[in-house]
Amino acid sequence: MDLSQLRIKLNRSKFLSNFKAPVSPEEKKELLFFLLLFLLFSAAAVTSVVNFWWLNTSKDKANILQVPQMPAGSEINARLSAFTQKYDVFLRYRNESRQLVELAETVGRYPVSVLSRPVAQEFSVPDFAPQIQIRALVVMGSGGVATLDIENETPGMLVRQGTVFGGGKGKITAIDPKGVSWTWSNKKYRTDL
């Protein structure tokens, strides 16, 4: 087969006869797009083949995880005995600390510190006079009776001269037609109608 026969056979095949050079800009864009895709897929195929070849021919050792070696029996026994000692100390502390707290409470001392309890300082609350409102007032002759609402006492309390209230701190001293006079912790007060 010489060259002239090959040309004749190729001319007869319609493969090359159908191929035309692109003339319009759209055909040139399509051809360029086709060539770019062809090159991209060809490069991906070549890369895949090279990776396959490299993985099958590489002689590198695989990263094999080494199994940690178990410690010797004497080392295990030493660690175990240290752990059991710590555990025994913990159990003893837990069981005996409750007894120490109970003993400290019965003796009356703080279980945590050696210091004695702090002495509580007397703290006095200032003594304020209660609010008094007159509900009713009756004066006949030299004496009188009043119905009072006294703070921290039962409302509508019926009082006369000399009546004590507020746990002995307050006392009604006089009742007259204009109001009630009274004392609270040895201080004089007056409530008018």
Side-chain angles (χ1 to χ4, degrees):
M1 249 179 138
D2 48 335
L3 199 54
S4 62
Q5 288 176 348
L6 184 61
R7 278 186 191 165
I8 294 170
K9 283 188 178 182
L10 284 175
N11 283 337
R12 285 184 192 162
S13 70
K14 295 186 179 185
F15 176 72
L16 290 177
S17 64
N18 288 339
F19 185 70
K20 298 178 191 174
V23 179
S24 70
E26 288 85 21
E27 290 177 350
K28 288 180 182 178
K29 284 182 185 176
E30 287 179 6
L31 180 63
L32 183 64
F33 183 69
F34 175 76
L35 290 176
L36 284 175
L37 283 178
F38 179 75
L39 288 175
L40 178 69
F41 286 123
S42 298
V46 168
T47 304
S48 178
V49 169
V50 168
N51 279 338
F52 179 76
W53 174 79
W54 178 76
L55 285 173
N56 287 322
T57 59
S58 65
K59 300 285 182 185
D60 292 341
K61 292 182 180 178
N63 291 334
I64 299 171
L65 294 175
Q66 294 182 358
V67 178
Q69 295 195 4
M70 294 298 289
S74 61
E75 186 180 341
I76 290 175
N77 289 336
R79 289 165 111 188
L80 187 60
S81 66
F83 178 75
T84 54
Q85 286 176 351
K86 288 179 183 178
Y87 184 69
D88 290 339
V89 167
F90 166 73
L91 286 178
R92 189 174 49 178
Y93 173 74
R94 188 183 73 180
N95 294 335
E96 291 177 4
S97 65
R98 185 178 308 131
Q99 294 171 353
L100 288 174
V101 169
E102 290 171 358
L103 287 173
E105 285 178 351
T106 56
V107 172
R109 298 187 66 172
Y110 284 119
V112 179
S113 65
V114 184
L115 300 174
S116 62
R117 287 185 178 174
V119 178
Q121 297 176 352
E122 283 288 325
F123 168 36
S124 62
V125 177
D127 197 17
F128 294 108
Q131 297 290 325
I132 295 179
Q133 294 179 349
I134 300 173
R135 291 176 106 191
L137 184 69
V138 177
V139 177
M140 293 174 52
S142 63
V145 179
T147 305
L148 304 177
D149 283 339
I150 302 173
E151 187 178 13
N152 298 327
E153 298 286 330
T154 56
M157 187 174 174
L158 199 63
V159 296
R160 291 191 172 113
Q161 185 176 348
T163 304
V164 179
F165 61 93
K169 291 182 181 179
K171 184 178 181 182
I172 303 295
T173 56
I175 299 174
D176 57 51
K178 294 184 180 179
V180 177
S181 297
W182 50 280
T183 61
W184 182 265
S185 297
N186 298 324
K187 292 183 182 176
K188 294 180 181 180
Y189 294 93
R190 173 122 178 120
T191 303
D192 293 323
L193 281 175

